Amino acid sequence: MAHNVARLRARLSRFDVTLRPHLKTGKSVDVARAVMASPAGPATVSTLKEAARFAEAGVRDIIYAVGITPDKLGRVLDLRSGGVDLAVVLDTVEQAEAVAAASREAGVRIPALIEIDCDGHRSGILPTDVEKLTAIGQILATDAELRGVLTHAGGSYAARGVAALVACAEEERRAVVDAATILRTADLACPVVSVGSTPTAHYAADLTGVTEVRAGVFVFFDLVMAGIGVCEVDDIALSVMATVIGFQREKGWILTDAGWMAMSRDRGTAKQAVDQGYGVVCDLAGRPYLNLIVADANQEHGIIAVRPGSGGVLPDLAIGDRVRILPNHACSTGA
Amino acid sequence: MAHNVARLRARLSRFDVTLRPHLKTGKSVDVARAVMASPAGPATVSTLKEAARFAEAGVRDIIYAVGITPDKLGRVLDLRSGGVDLAVVLDTVEQAEAVAAASREAGVRIPALIEIDCDGHRSGILPTDVEKLTAIGQILATDAELRGVLTHAGGSYAARGVAALVACAEEERRAVVDAATILRTADLACPVVSVGSTPTAHYAADLTGVTEVRAGVFVFFDLVMAGIGVCEVDDIALSVMATVIGFQREKGWILTDAGWMAMSRDRGTAKQAVDQGYGVVCDLAGRPYLNLIVADANQEHGIIAVRPGSGGVLPDLAIGDRVRILPNHACSTGA
């Protein structure tokens, strides 16, 4: 884990950007402290529950990076009045009006970032939608605080090869920088220009105009990231300890007590060149059994089998022996 | 929920069997009390953590239905010495020897059930393997306690149609009854003959020789069960409240704050006749929008879209409005 954190820090040190790690991956104060620049942050979270938990642990600079709704603004104001600089994210005029109204009512200015859609992956405003961007920017600047613009290159998880990853990163950068330019042209301040995904953080060739990078899974990595080529299987720093609970020798199965409750149901490598099933099996020292995968998973049962076509054999394990299993998606296994 | 519980109780009342509900679905003491015959049980759990939690709440008759390992026997003995009749499950001679050794050492007899494989779905001994069954039975009867035999018709989740479900239930029944007969022929007592899955519990035509039925998801039901035909969509008693956080109107998307952390990553209906995506969307009163599904899910974002080919339109929802989403798999959403 320390190696992975150092690797991203070294990579970002060539640019003039801040690292604002996404803490949803680890959901742990210890992991958060290992990845943040200081115990006070900055940081990104995906729920207000995470925001409250990390605020208790002393984090003071947080972006809640899921679109805000009116019913959550009370909790946002509570956290802010407790001394946490918590910023929200939005992409509609309705949300901006709700943030402005709550700010007026509370006599404070809630900071908000406008979410930009850089690749059609999920939410956000297109960086060509000048009208909507300036409308939202003006509402925020008048009654709340326009903190900046933010995007997430979710499409990068489907990219294959260095050229495609570099292109995703550039598309991500250009989308927010274009949006910031539109706002500034309308005389609106836009101090923060925020991008973030682990693949693009590792492959960006240029971050001109960007002020901060959010990434989360870089801390542990996982089989999806290894499949994209962002890390090696050896870099994966999160594993599930599974205990052998049985055998079906005629079928070539070893049964363990690590089902999808432990591994997560994520099958993120199913569409990649190498399908890792529900995970790669390693010995206790972390050396992968290259011929084994977790072929199936029930709630509390995992089925380890020889990888199809590998010609391997099952290792000589006894009831009670333990193995380490590398997960497809560190965020879901960590949660 | 009360209706679903009453339905299974009524159905089982025609047979001479006990209902031993699987508490992993609800993982809640309140739900457990609504489904158990008495506050003391009987009950089934899938982890020792669940066993400890329900034991604290007064449950006294529990089967831990995942293959036991030697390292867990200390916790089993602790719970038993606290007054809980906790039984374990196993399917190898090694496990039986470990249970016998721990029993001798502690001066008690740990009860164990032999797991039977009724459909090749996962773990267990074939009911034709006389040698292994009697070997395990003799080890347990000598130094521990042979409580009985147990199976789970996991294959019933892939069955379609009443005839197939009735056949699965009969296959499940015959497997454990045959195994019990083998043990009794070898002069081994086999008081408990335990079957269990929600589809087979609802479709068994005959339970002769069976003493108890374990089922879990019958309490809430879910879209997988509705797809099998075990319940109607209206019977589903567990839903996720999701709040609208944004729109991508050109794409026909409504974005919500309920991603796979809330819904689970379960795509159990993907291979069924009607693919429900990540869930069916209902209004607050629970009436399904038949033309909508949760088309995609990220960790904290859900994407609601018009069901492909339905010709429907998106309902008129605003930011902050709430919808109920029915899950594919109640066990994973409940967890």
Side-chain angles (χ1 to χ4, degrees), chain A residues 24 46-47 67 69 71-72 95 117 120 122-124 243-245 248 251 253 257 260 265-266 298-301 322 331-332, chain B residues 24 46-47 67 69 71-72 95 120 122-124 243-245 248 251 253 257 260 265-266 298-301 322 331-332:
Chain A
K24 72 169 184 176
S46 66
T47 65
T69 52
D71 57 307
K72 290 174 185 149
Q95 286 165 302
D117 177 5
R122 190 164 65 194
S123 40
T243 304
V244 173
I245 61 169
Q248 291 282 28
K251 294 183 189 159
W253 289 356
D257 61 356
W260 50 251
R265 262 213 136 117
D266 203 289
N298 299 148
Q299 189 159 5
E300 304 286 358
H301 290 80
R322 293 182 169 210
C331 298
S332 40
Chain B
K24 72 169 185 178
S46 66
T47 66
T69 53
D71 57 307
K72 290 173 185 150
Q95 286 165 303
R122 190 164 68 194
S123 39
T243 304
V244 173
I245 61 170
Q248 291 283 27
K251 293 182 190 160
W253 289 355
D257 61 356
W260 49 251
R265 262 215 136 117
D266 203 291
N298 298 150
Q299 188 159 6
E300 304 288 358
H301 290 79
R322 294 183 168 207
C331 297
S332 41

Short mmCIF file of all heavy atoms in Angstrom, two decimals, chain A residues 24 46-47 67 69 71-72 95 117 120 122-124 243-245 248 251 253 257 260 265-266 298-301 322 331-332, chain B residues 24 46-47 67 69 71-72 95 120 122-124 243-245 248 251 253 257 260 265-266 298-301 322 331-332:
data_model
loop_
_atom_site.label_atom_id
_atom_site.label_comp_id
_atom_site.label_asym_id
_atom_site.label_seq_id
_atom_site.Cartn_x
_atom_site.Cartn_y
_atom_site.Cartn_z
N LYS A 24 -13.63 6.56 -0.03
CA LYS A 24 -14.62 5.48 -0.04
C LYS A 24 -13.97 4.12 -0.22
O LYS A 24 -14.55 3.10 0.16
CB LYS A 24 -15.66 5.70 -1.14
CG LYS A 24 -15.12 5.45 -2.54
CD LYS A 24 -16.20 5.41 -3.59
CE LYS A 24 -15.56 5.05 -4.94
NZ LYS A 24 -16.54 4.89 -6.00
N SER A 46 -18.02 9.67 -0.57
CA SER A 46 -19.17 9.34 -1.42
C SER A 46 -20.49 9.31 -0.66
O SER A 46 -21.53 9.10 -1.28
CB SER A 46 -18.94 8.00 -2.11
OG SER A 46 -18.91 6.95 -1.17
N THR A 47 -20.45 9.48 0.66
CA THR A 47 -21.70 9.57 1.43
C THR A 47 -21.48 10.59 2.56
O THR A 47 -20.34 10.84 2.97
CB THR A 47 -22.10 8.23 2.09
OG1 THR A 47 -21.10 7.89 3.07
CG2 THR A 47 -22.23 7.11 1.09
N GLY A 67 -24.06 13.92 -6.28
CA GLY A 67 -25.03 15.01 -6.44
C GLY A 67 -25.88 15.26 -5.20
O GLY A 67 -26.51 14.35 -4.67
N THR A 69 -28.88 16.61 -2.66
CA THR A 69 -30.33 16.78 -2.71
C THR A 69 -30.74 17.69 -1.55
O THR A 69 -30.03 17.77 -0.54
CB THR A 69 -31.06 15.43 -2.59
OG1 THR A 69 -30.57 14.75 -1.43
CG2 THR A 69 -30.83 14.59 -3.82
N ASP A 71 -32.81 17.51 0.88
CA ASP A 71 -32.97 16.91 2.22
C ASP A 71 -31.63 16.69 2.92
O ASP A 71 -31.60 16.45 4.12
CB ASP A 71 -33.72 15.59 2.11
CG ASP A 71 -33.02 14.61 1.17
OD1 ASP A 71 -32.73 14.99 0.02
OD2 ASP A 71 -32.73 13.48 1.59
N LYS A 72 -30.52 16.72 2.18
CA LYS A 72 -29.21 16.47 2.80
C LYS A 72 -28.51 17.76 3.21
O LYS A 72 -27.45 17.71 3.85
CB LYS A 72 -28.32 15.69 1.83
CG LYS A 72 -28.79 14.25 1.64
CD LYS A 72 -28.00 13.51 0.57
CE LYS A 72 -28.60 12.13 0.33
NZ LYS A 72 -28.42 11.68 -1.06
N GLN A 95 -30.86 22.09 -8.18
CA GLN A 95 -29.95 21.86 -7.05
C GLN A 95 -29.27 23.16 -6.63
O GLN A 95 -29.12 23.44 -5.44
CB GLN A 95 -28.88 20.82 -7.42
CG GLN A 95 -29.42 19.39 -7.48
CD GLN A 95 -28.45 18.46 -8.19
OE1 GLN A 95 -28.10 18.70 -9.35
NE2 GLN A 95 -28.00 17.42 -7.52
N ASP A 117 -19.69 16.49 -17.33
CA ASP A 117 -19.73 15.17 -17.97
C ASP A 117 -18.63 15.13 -19.03
O ASP A 117 -18.75 15.76 -20.08
CB ASP A 117 -21.12 14.98 -18.59
CG ASP A 117 -21.24 13.67 -19.35
OD1 ASP A 117 -20.29 12.86 -19.32
OD2 ASP A 117 -22.30 13.48 -19.98
N GLY A 120 -19.78 10.96 -20.96
CA GLY A 120 -21.09 10.31 -21.08
C GLY A 120 -21.30 9.16 -20.14
O GLY A 120 -22.24 8.38 -20.29
N ARG A 122 -21.93 9.04 -16.79
CA ARG A 122 -22.88 9.06 -15.69
C ARG A 122 -23.57 10.42 -15.62
O ARG A 122 -24.41 10.73 -16.44
CB ARG A 122 -22.13 8.75 -14.38
CG ARG A 122 -23.00 8.50 -13.21
CD ARG A 122 -22.21 7.84 -12.09
NE ARG A 122 -21.17 8.71 -11.53
CZ ARG A 122 -20.17 8.30 -10.75
NH1 ARG A 122 -20.08 7.03 -10.42
NH2 ARG A 122 -19.28 9.13 -10.29
N SER A 123 -23.22 11.24 -14.65
CA SER A 123 -23.89 12.51 -14.42
C SER A 123 -23.02 13.65 -14.94
O SER A 123 -21.93 13.46 -15.46
CB SER A 123 -24.18 12.67 -12.93
OG SER A 123 -23.10 12.20 -12.15
N GLY A 124 -23.52 14.90 -14.79
CA GLY A 124 -22.74 16.06 -15.17
C GLY A 124 -23.27 16.81 -16.37
O GLY A 124 -24.08 16.30 -17.14
N THR A 243 -10.58 -19.39 4.40
CA THR A 243 -10.22 -20.67 5.01
C THR A 243 -10.88 -21.80 4.23
O THR A 243 -12.05 -21.70 3.87
CB THR A 243 -10.71 -20.71 6.48
OG1 THR A 243 -10.15 -19.59 7.16
CG2 THR A 243 -10.27 -21.99 7.18
N VAL A 244 -10.09 -22.85 3.97
CA VAL A 244 -10.62 -24.02 3.25
C VAL A 244 -11.63 -24.73 4.16
O VAL A 244 -11.31 -25.06 5.30
CB VAL A 244 -9.48 -24.99 2.87
CG1 VAL A 244 -10.06 -26.28 2.26
CG2 VAL A 244 -8.52 -24.31 1.90
N ILE A 245 -12.87 -24.91 3.66
CA ILE A 245 -13.88 -25.60 4.46
C ILE A 245 -14.33 -26.92 3.84
O ILE A 245 -15.11 -27.64 4.45
CB ILE A 245 -15.13 -24.72 4.72
CG1 ILE A 245 -15.83 -24.34 3.41
CG2 ILE A 245 -14.78 -23.46 5.51
CD1 ILE A 245 -17.20 -23.70 3.62
N GLN A 248 -14.69 -30.76 -3.31
CA GLN A 248 -15.47 -31.63 -4.20
C GLN A 248 -14.43 -32.11 -5.20
O GLN A 248 -14.26 -31.52 -6.27
CB GLN A 248 -16.61 -30.87 -4.89
CG GLN A 248 -17.71 -30.42 -3.97
CD GLN A 248 -18.68 -31.55 -3.58
OE1 GLN A 248 -18.32 -32.73 -3.54
NE2 GLN A 248 -19.91 -31.16 -3.29
N LYS A 251 -15.02 -32.79 -8.92
CA LYS A 251 -15.28 -31.60 -9.74
C LYS A 251 -14.07 -30.68 -9.82
O LYS A 251 -14.10 -29.67 -10.54
CB LYS A 251 -16.43 -30.80 -9.13
CG LYS A 251 -17.76 -31.52 -9.17
CD LYS A 251 -18.83 -30.62 -8.60
CE LYS A 251 -20.13 -31.37 -8.42
NZ LYS A 251 -21.01 -30.71 -7.47
N TRP A 253 -12.92 -28.86 -7.19
CA TRP A 253 -13.26 -27.67 -6.42
C TRP A 253 -12.65 -27.71 -5.01
O TRP A 253 -12.64 -28.75 -4.37
CB TRP A 253 -14.78 -27.58 -6.21
CG TRP A 253 -15.58 -27.23 -7.40
CD1 TRP A 253 -15.15 -26.91 -8.65
CD2 TRP A 253 -17.03 -27.19 -7.45
NE1 TRP A 253 -16.21 -26.67 -9.47
CE2 TRP A 253 -17.38 -26.82 -8.77
CE3 TRP A 253 -18.04 -27.42 -6.52
CZ2 TRP A 253 -18.72 -26.69 -9.17
CZ3 TRP A 253 -19.37 -27.28 -6.91
CH2 TRP A 253 -19.70 -26.92 -8.22
N ASP A 257 -14.64 -20.30 2.97
CA ASP A 257 -15.66 -19.53 3.68
C ASP A 257 -15.71 -18.08 3.20
O ASP A 257 -16.29 -17.23 3.88
CB ASP A 257 -15.42 -19.59 5.19
CG ASP A 257 -14.08 -19.01 5.59
OD1 ASP A 257 -13.29 -18.62 4.70
OD2 ASP A 257 -13.81 -18.93 6.80
N TRP A 260 -19.43 -14.04 -1.64
CA TRP A 260 -19.50 -12.66 -2.11
C TRP A 260 -19.72 -11.64 -1.00
O TRP A 260 -19.56 -10.45 -1.22
CB TRP A 260 -20.48 -12.46 -3.25
CG TRP A 260 -21.86 -13.00 -3.12
CD1 TRP A 260 -22.39 -14.07 -3.79
CD2 TRP A 260 -22.94 -12.50 -2.32
NE1 TRP A 260 -23.71 -14.26 -3.43
CE2 TRP A 260 -24.08 -13.32 -2.55
CE3 TRP A 260 -23.06 -11.43 -1.42
CZ2 TRP A 260 -25.31 -13.12 -1.91
CZ3 TRP A 260 -24.28 -11.23 -0.78
CH2 TRP A 260 -25.38 -12.06 -1.03
N ARG A 265 -19.69 -8.90 -5.06
CA ARG A 265 -20.24 -9.57 -6.25
C ARG A 265 -19.66 -9.00 -7.50
O ARG A 265 -20.11 -9.31 -8.60
CB ARG A 265 -21.75 -9.35 -6.25
CG ARG A 265 -22.41 -10.57 -5.68
CD ARG A 265 -23.74 -10.81 -6.31
NE ARG A 265 -23.85 -12.21 -6.59
CZ ARG A 265 -24.75 -13.03 -6.06
NH1 ARG A 265 -25.63 -12.58 -5.23
NH2 ARG A 265 -24.78 -14.28 -6.39
N ASP A 266 -18.67 -8.12 -7.37
CA ASP A 266 -18.12 -7.45 -8.53
C ASP A 266 -17.49 -8.45 -9.49
O ASP A 266 -16.64 -9.25 -9.11
CB ASP A 266 -17.06 -6.45 -8.08
CG ASP A 266 -16.86 -5.37 -9.11
OD1 ASP A 266 -16.29 -5.66 -10.18
OD2 ASP A 266 -17.27 -4.24 -8.84
N ASN A 298 -21.11 -17.97 -3.52
CA ASN A 298 -22.42 -17.78 -2.91
C ASN A 298 -22.23 -16.81 -1.76
O ASN A 298 -21.14 -16.26 -1.59
CB ASN A 298 -22.98 -19.11 -2.41
CG ASN A 298 -23.17 -20.14 -3.52
OD1 ASN A 298 -23.05 -21.31 -3.31
ND2 ASN A 298 -23.43 -19.67 -4.74
N GLN A 299 -23.28 -16.60 -0.95
CA GLN A 299 -23.16 -15.54 0.06
C GLN A 299 -21.95 -15.77 0.98
O GLN A 299 -21.18 -14.85 1.23
CB GLN A 299 -24.45 -15.43 0.87
CG GLN A 299 -24.46 -14.21 1.79
CD GLN A 299 -25.86 -13.79 2.21
OE1 GLN A 299 -26.84 -14.46 1.90
NE2 GLN A 299 -25.97 -12.67 2.91
N GLU A 300 -21.81 -17.00 1.51
CA GLU A 300 -20.70 -17.25 2.42
C GLU A 300 -19.80 -18.40 1.95
O GLU A 300 -18.98 -18.89 2.72
CB GLU A 300 -21.23 -17.57 3.84
CG GLU A 300 -22.14 -16.51 4.44
CD GLU A 300 -21.41 -15.24 4.90
OE1 GLU A 300 -20.17 -15.18 4.79
OE2 GLU A 300 -22.11 -14.30 5.33
N HIS A 301 -19.96 -18.85 0.73
CA HIS A 301 -19.14 -19.92 0.19
C HIS A 301 -18.42 -19.43 -1.06
O HIS A 301 -19.05 -18.83 -1.93
CB HIS A 301 -20.00 -21.11 -0.27
CG HIS A 301 -20.65 -21.89 0.84
ND1 HIS A 301 -21.78 -21.47 1.46
CD2 HIS A 301 -20.32 -23.09 1.41
CE1 HIS A 301 -22.13 -22.39 2.38
NE2 HIS A 301 -21.27 -23.37 2.37
N ARG A 322 -5.36 -21.68 5.03
CA ARG A 322 -5.82 -20.37 4.57
C ARG A 322 -5.16 -19.95 3.25
O ARG A 322 -4.03 -20.32 2.99
CB ARG A 322 -5.49 -19.31 5.62
CG ARG A 322 -6.31 -19.54 6.85
CD ARG A 322 -6.05 -18.48 7.88
NE ARG A 322 -7.05 -18.61 8.92
CZ ARG A 322 -7.51 -17.60 9.65
NH1 ARG A 322 -7.03 -16.40 9.47
NH2 ARG A 322 -8.43 -17.80 10.55
N CYS A 331 -12.87 -1.24 -4.05
CA CYS A 331 -13.86 -0.38 -3.40
C CYS A 331 -15.01 -1.19 -2.82
O CYS A 331 -15.52 -0.88 -1.75
CB CYS A 331 -14.42 0.66 -4.36
SG CYS A 331 -13.17 1.80 -4.98
N SER A 332 -15.44 -2.24 -3.53
CA SER A 332 -16.58 -3.00 -3.02
C SER A 332 -16.13 -4.00 -1.96
O SER A 332 -16.83 -4.22 -0.98
CB SER A 332 -17.33 -3.71 -4.15
OG SER A 332 -16.47 -4.23 -5.12
N LYS B 24 -29.75 -15.05 7.88
CA LYS B 24 -28.81 -14.21 7.13
C LYS B 24 -29.53 -13.20 6.25
O LYS B 24 -28.96 -12.17 5.91
CB LYS B 24 -27.87 -15.06 6.28
CG LYS B 24 -28.56 -15.68 5.07
CD LYS B 24 -27.56 -16.30 4.10
CE LYS B 24 -28.34 -16.78 2.86
NZ LYS B 24 -27.47 -17.34 1.84
N SER B 46 -25.35 -18.00 8.89
CA SER B 46 -24.29 -18.26 7.91
C SER B 46 -22.91 -17.83 8.39
O SER B 46 -21.93 -18.06 7.68
CB SER B 46 -24.63 -17.57 6.58
OG SER B 46 -24.59 -16.17 6.73
N THR B 47 -22.83 -17.19 9.54
CA THR B 47 -21.51 -16.84 10.12
C THR B 47 -21.60 -16.99 11.64
O THR B 47 -22.69 -16.91 12.22
CB THR B 47 -21.10 -15.38 9.82
OG1 THR B 47 -22.00 -14.49 10.50
CG2 THR B 47 -21.11 -15.07 8.33
N GLY B 67 -19.68 -24.95 6.27
CA GLY B 67 -18.71 -25.97 6.70
C GLY B 67 -17.75 -25.46 7.78
O GLY B 67 -17.10 -24.44 7.62
N THR B 69 -14.49 -25.16 10.33
CA THR B 69 -13.04 -25.35 10.27
C THR B 69 -12.51 -25.40 11.70
O THR B 69 -13.13 -24.86 12.62
CB THR B 69 -12.35 -24.20 9.50
OG1 THR B 69 -12.75 -22.95 10.07
CG2 THR B 69 -12.73 -24.23 8.04
N ASP B 71 -10.24 -23.89 13.35
CA ASP B 71 -9.98 -22.62 14.06
C ASP B 71 -11.25 -21.99 14.62
O ASP B 71 -11.19 -21.10 15.45
CB ASP B 71 -9.28 -21.64 13.11
CG ASP B 71 -10.11 -21.38 11.85
OD1 ASP B 71 -10.48 -22.36 11.18
OD2 ASP B 71 -10.40 -20.21 11.55
N LYS B 72 -12.42 -22.42 14.12
CA LYS B 72 -13.68 -21.82 14.59
C LYS B 72 -14.30 -22.59 15.75
O LYS B 72 -15.29 -22.13 16.34
CB LYS B 72 -14.69 -21.73 13.44
CG LYS B 72 -14.28 -20.69 12.39
CD LYS B 72 -15.16 -20.71 11.17
CE LYS B 72 -14.63 -19.74 10.11
NZ LYS B 72 -14.95 -20.18 8.74
N GLN B 95 -12.86 -32.86 8.95
CA GLN B 95 -13.67 -31.98 9.81
C GLN B 95 -14.27 -32.77 10.97
O GLN B 95 -14.29 -32.29 12.11
CB GLN B 95 -14.79 -31.33 8.99
CG GLN B 95 -14.30 -30.23 8.06
CD GLN B 95 -15.38 -29.88 7.02
OE1 GLN B 95 -15.83 -30.74 6.27
NE2 GLN B 95 -15.78 -28.62 6.98
N GLY B 120 -25.40 -31.10 -6.88
CA GLY B 120 -24.11 -30.69 -7.46
C GLY B 120 -23.86 -29.20 -7.42
O GLY B 120 -22.96 -28.68 -8.07
N ARG B 122 -22.94 -27.16 -4.85
CA ARG B 122 -21.88 -26.55 -4.04
C ARG B 122 -21.15 -27.64 -3.25
O ARG B 122 -20.38 -28.38 -3.80
CB ARG B 122 -22.52 -25.52 -3.12
CG ARG B 122 -21.57 -24.65 -2.39
CD ARG B 122 -22.29 -23.42 -1.82
NE ARG B 122 -23.23 -23.77 -0.75
CZ ARG B 122 -24.18 -22.94 -0.27
NH1 ARG B 122 -24.30 -21.74 -0.77
NH2 ARG B 122 -24.97 -23.31 0.70
N SER B 123 -21.40 -27.71 -1.97
CA SER B 123 -20.67 -28.62 -1.09
C SER B 123 -21.54 -29.84 -0.75
O SER B 123 -22.68 -29.94 -1.16
CB SER B 123 -20.24 -27.88 0.17
OG SER B 123 -21.25 -27.00 0.60
N GLY B 124 -20.97 -30.75 0.04
CA GLY B 124 -21.75 -31.90 0.51
C GLY B 124 -21.30 -33.23 -0.06
O GLY B 124 -20.57 -33.27 -1.05
N THR B 243 -33.16 8.59 -3.69
CA THR B 243 -33.51 9.98 -3.92
C THR B 243 -32.96 10.41 -5.28
O THR B 243 -31.82 10.09 -5.63
CB THR B 243 -32.89 10.87 -2.81
OG1 THR B 243 -33.34 10.38 -1.55
CG2 THR B 243 -33.28 12.32 -2.97
N VAL B 244 -33.79 11.12 -6.04
CA VAL B 244 -33.36 11.63 -7.35
C VAL B 244 -32.30 12.71 -7.13
O VAL B 244 -32.53 13.67 -6.39
CB VAL B 244 -34.56 12.22 -8.11
CG1 VAL B 244 -34.10 12.90 -9.40
CG2 VAL B 244 -35.59 11.13 -8.40
N ILE B 245 -31.12 12.52 -7.74
CA ILE B 245 -30.06 13.53 -7.59
C ILE B 245 -29.72 14.20 -8.92
O ILE B 245 -28.91 15.13 -8.94
CB ILE B 245 -28.76 12.94 -6.98
CG1 ILE B 245 -28.17 11.83 -7.87
CG2 ILE B 245 -29.01 12.42 -5.57
CD1 ILE B 245 -26.78 11.40 -7.44
N GLN B 248 -30.11 13.09 -16.98
CA GLN B 248 -29.44 13.26 -18.26
C GLN B 248 -30.58 13.08 -19.25
O GLN B 248 -30.83 11.98 -19.76
CB GLN B 248 -28.35 12.20 -18.46
CG GLN B 248 -27.14 12.34 -17.57
CD GLN B 248 -26.18 13.44 -18.00
OE1 GLN B 248 -26.58 14.43 -18.62
NE2 GLN B 248 -24.91 13.30 -17.66
N LYS B 251 -30.34 11.40 -22.67
CA LYS B 251 -30.12 9.95 -22.65
C LYS B 251 -31.30 9.20 -22.07
O LYS B 251 -31.30 7.96 -22.07
CB LYS B 251 -28.89 9.64 -21.80
CG LYS B 251 -27.60 10.15 -22.39
CD LYS B 251 -26.45 9.74 -21.50
CE LYS B 251 -25.16 10.42 -21.92
NZ LYS B 251 -24.18 10.41 -20.85
N TRP B 253 -32.14 9.33 -18.78
CA TRP B 253 -31.70 8.80 -17.50
C TRP B 253 -32.19 9.67 -16.34
O TRP B 253 -32.17 10.90 -16.43
CB TRP B 253 -30.17 8.80 -17.40
CG TRP B 253 -29.46 7.81 -18.24
CD1 TRP B 253 -30.00 6.83 -19.02
CD2 TRP B 253 -28.03 7.71 -18.38
NE1 TRP B 253 -28.99 6.12 -19.65
CE2 TRP B 253 -27.78 6.64 -19.27
CE3 TRP B 253 -26.94 8.39 -17.84
CZ2 TRP B 253 -26.49 6.25 -19.64
CZ3 TRP B 253 -25.66 8.02 -18.19
CH2 TRP B 253 -25.44 6.95 -19.09
N ASP B 257 -29.29 8.35 -5.72
CA ASP B 257 -28.19 8.11 -4.79
C ASP B 257 -28.14 6.66 -4.32
O ASP B 257 -27.46 6.35 -3.34
CB ASP B 257 -28.29 9.06 -3.59
CG ASP B 257 -29.58 8.88 -2.81
OD1 ASP B 257 -30.43 8.07 -3.25
OD2 ASP B 257 -29.75 9.54 -1.79
N TRP B 260 -24.77 0.42 -6.13
CA TRP B 260 -24.70 -0.98 -5.69
C TRP B 260 -24.35 -1.13 -4.23
O TRP B 260 -24.48 -2.22 -3.67
CB TRP B 260 -23.81 -1.85 -6.57
CG TRP B 260 -22.45 -1.37 -6.92
CD1 TRP B 260 -22.02 -0.92 -8.15
CD2 TRP B 260 -21.28 -1.33 -6.07
NE1 TRP B 260 -20.68 -0.60 -8.09
CE2 TRP B 260 -20.21 -0.84 -6.86
CE3 TRP B 260 -21.04 -1.66 -4.74
CZ2 TRP B 260 -18.92 -0.66 -6.34
CZ3 TRP B 260 -19.78 -1.48 -4.22
CH2 TRP B 260 -18.73 -0.98 -5.01
N ARG B 265 -24.68 -5.75 -5.88
CA ARG B 265 -24.26 -5.93 -7.27
C ARG B 265 -24.95 -7.11 -7.89
O ARG B 265 -24.60 -7.52 -8.99
CB ARG B 265 -22.75 -6.16 -7.27
CG ARG B 265 -22.07 -4.87 -7.59
CD ARG B 265 -20.84 -5.07 -8.40
NE ARG B 265 -20.82 -4.11 -9.44
CZ ARG B 265 -19.90 -3.18 -9.58
NH1 ARG B 265 -18.92 -3.07 -8.74
NH2 ARG B 265 -19.94 -2.36 -10.58
N ASP B 266 -25.88 -7.70 -7.15
CA ASP B 266 -26.51 -8.92 -7.64
C ASP B 266 -27.24 -8.67 -8.94
O ASP B 266 -28.09 -7.79 -9.04
CB ASP B 266 -27.49 -9.44 -6.59
CG ASP B 266 -27.75 -10.93 -6.75
OD1 ASP B 266 -28.39 -11.33 -7.74
OD2 ASP B 266 -27.27 -11.67 -5.92
N ASN B 298 -23.37 2.44 -10.12
CA ASN B 298 -22.00 2.62 -9.63
C ASN B 298 -22.07 2.50 -8.11
O ASN B 298 -23.12 2.20 -7.56
CB ASN B 298 -21.45 3.98 -10.06
CG ASN B 298 -21.37 4.13 -11.57
OD1 ASN B 298 -21.49 5.21 -12.08
ND2 ASN B 298 -21.20 3.03 -12.29
N GLN B 299 -20.95 2.80 -7.43
CA GLN B 299 -20.95 2.54 -6.00
C GLN B 299 -22.07 3.30 -5.27
O GLN B 299 -22.78 2.73 -4.46
CB GLN B 299 -19.59 2.89 -5.39
CG GLN B 299 -19.47 2.44 -3.92
CD GLN B 299 -18.03 2.30 -3.47
OE1 GLN B 299 -17.10 2.65 -4.19
NE2 GLN B 299 -17.84 1.81 -2.26
N GLU B 300 -22.22 4.59 -5.56
CA GLU B 300 -23.24 5.40 -4.89
C GLU B 300 -24.20 6.07 -5.87
O GLU B 300 -24.93 6.96 -5.49
CB GLU B 300 -22.57 6.47 -3.99
CG GLU B 300 -21.60 5.95 -2.97
CD GLU B 300 -22.24 5.21 -1.79
OE1 GLU B 300 -23.48 5.13 -1.72
OE2 GLU B 300 -21.48 4.69 -0.94
N HIS B 301 -24.16 5.71 -7.13
CA HIS B 301 -25.05 6.28 -8.13
C HIS B 301 -25.86 5.16 -8.77
O HIS B 301 -25.30 4.15 -9.18
CB HIS B 301 -24.27 6.94 -9.28
CG HIS B 301 -23.55 8.20 -8.92
ND1 HIS B 301 -22.36 8.19 -8.26
CD2 HIS B 301 -23.85 9.50 -9.16
CE1 HIS B 301 -21.95 9.46 -8.10
NE2 HIS B 301 -22.83 10.27 -8.64
N ARG B 322 -38.37 10.95 -4.07
CA ARG B 322 -37.93 9.61 -3.70
C ARG B 322 -38.69 8.53 -4.44
O ARG B 322 -39.86 8.71 -4.76
CB ARG B 322 -38.12 9.40 -2.21
CG ARG B 322 -37.20 10.30 -1.43
CD ARG B 322 -37.31 10.05 0.04
NE ARG B 322 -36.20 10.73 0.67
CZ ARG B 322 -35.66 10.35 1.82
NH1 ARG B 322 -36.12 9.31 2.46
NH2 ARG B 322 -34.64 11.01 2.32
N CYS B 331 -31.15 -11.11 0.09
CA CYS B 331 -30.08 -11.45 1.04
C CYS B 331 -28.90 -10.49 0.92
O CYS B 331 -28.29 -10.12 1.91
CB CYS B 331 -29.58 -12.88 0.84
SG CYS B 331 -30.84 -14.13 1.13
N SER B 332 -28.56 -10.10 -0.31
CA SER B 332 -27.41 -9.21 -0.46
C SER B 332 -27.80 -7.77 -0.16
O SER B 332 -27.02 -7.02 0.43
CB SER B 332 -26.78 -9.34 -1.85
OG SER B 332 -27.74 -9.45 -2.86
#
